[in-house]
Amino acid sequence: DAGVIQSPRHEVTEMGQEVTLRCKPISGHNSLFWYRQTMMRGLELLIYFNNNVPIDDSGMPEDRFSAKMPNASFSTLKIQPSEPRDSAVYFCASSSRGGRNTEAFFGQGTRLTVV
Amino acid sequence: AQSVAQPEDQVNVAEGNPLTVKCTYSVSGNPYLFWYVQYPNRGLQFLLKYITGDNLVKGSYGFEAEFNKSQTSFHLKKPSALVSDSALYFCAVRDGGNTPLVFGKGTRLSVIA
């Protein structure tokens, strides 16, 4: 398996522009998580899905952020409009149905820079 | 709610010496604990996990972790550090099934030749 695949790896955009980050989870995994990593706040959970259904989006910082999972093999995280403080590394992770003792597997991340 | 604490932002150790990266946890039920490593410009890689059973868990790259219920700790250890072990290490806990991992703030390990 190729693991969790995220695209793009790097994104530089101007303030006010729309940004879409993409994630392909590991085949057969039923849970998907979006995290954000910054120096100041470390790893923050933004939102997670079980069986393509959003379960908890309380970590999404503002209404400018939205996430979808239209099917089991694809998810997007969208920021519209983007702001410089959104600059961070965004990680997608997935895990299988094994329950609480199951580890999550992370993608390589998307480094977002908003100028 | 579950949480983990990593009390050290930075750990420095000489190559060949044993290393320990500390983690304490707080959960309402049985703990399910994990360690991850992050190399520069990479995602998090799973190292090992504690579910139940032996208190000493062995993982990837020669790492192990010791679960101590009375001290609510899950310290990461390696008998002999390598320069290539230098990275950012995260402890994490999971409560219910298919719920997100909750991560500590991370500890930067620096192994000096």
Side-chain angles (χ1 to χ4, degrees):
Chain A
D1 198 316
V4 176
I5 299 173
Q6 292 186 246
S7 64
R9 289 294 309 276
H10 302 274
E11 177 79 38
V12 180
T13 190
E14 292 185 345
M15 182 174 62
Q17 296 299 305
E18 177 180 297
V19 175
T20 299
L21 312 182
R22 296 172 176 79
C23 175
K24 175 178 167 56
I26 292 173
S27 177
H29 282 189
N30 72 323
S31 294
L32 184 139
F33 313 92
W34 282 100
Y35 287 88
R36 179 172 69 174
Q37 185 179 32
T38 61
M39 290 290 291
M40 293 294 293
R41 293 183 173 151
L43 271 169
E44 303 173 276
L45 177 72
L46 299 177
I47 185 172
Y48 79 99
F49 298 82
N50 282 344
N51 298 315
N52 312 337
V53 176
I55 304 301
D56 184 356
D57 66 354
S58 60
M60 298 285 258
E62 299 172 34
D63 291 345
R64 299 183 294 108
F65 287 69
S66 63
K68 294 181 180 179
M69 192 166 185
N71 56 62
S73 59
F74 185 65
S75 177
T76 59
L77 178 68
K78 185 177 293 186
I79 308 173
Q80 166 63 20
S82 58
E83 297 184 2
R85 59 188 165 136
D86 301 332
S87 298
V89 181
Y90 291 80
F91 288 105
C92 176
S94 69
S95 66
S96 68
R97 297 176 183 273
R100 67 184 72 189
N101 63 342
T102 304
E103 60 271 28
F105 294 85
F106 281 74
Q108 299 278 47
T110 295
R111 182 175 296 276
L112 174 64
T113 303
V114 183
V115 297
Chain B
Q2 69 272 25
S3 65
V4 292
Q6 294 182 243
E8 302 156 317
D9 290 336
Q10 173 94 29
V11 170
N12 298 320
V13 64
E15 187 176 30
N17 282 2
L19 69 87
T20 298
V21 182
K22 297 179 180 177
C23 172
T24 58
Y25 66 89
S26 174
V27 296
S28 55
N30 291 323
Y32 295 85
L33 299 159
F34 304 80
W35 275 103
Y36 283 78
V37 60
Q38 184 182 28
Y39 297 101
N41 300 315
R42 304 292 298 273
L44 278 71
Q45 296 178 31
F46 168 73
L47 275 179
L48 52 80
K49 63 184 177 184
Y50 172 81
I51 305 166
T52 186
D54 290 340
N55 290 341
L56 187 63
V57 179
K58 294 190 181 298
S60 306
Y61 312 121
F63 283 93
E64 56 192 26
E66 186 172 9
F67 173 71
N68 188 315
K69 189 173 182 178
S70 63
Q71 297 185 3
T72 62
S73 67
F74 189 56
H75 300 332
L76 182 70
K77 301 184 178 188
K78 188 173 183 181
S80 179
L82 301 172
V83 172
S84 58
D85 293 329
S86 299
L88 189 56
Y89 290 81
F90 291 95
C91 182
V93 65
R94 196 173 207 177
D95 192 1
N98 293 107
T99 57
L101 291 167
V102 175
F103 287 89
K105 61 182 175 63
T107 298
R108 187 165 300 280
L109 173 68
S110 180
V111 181
I112 304 162

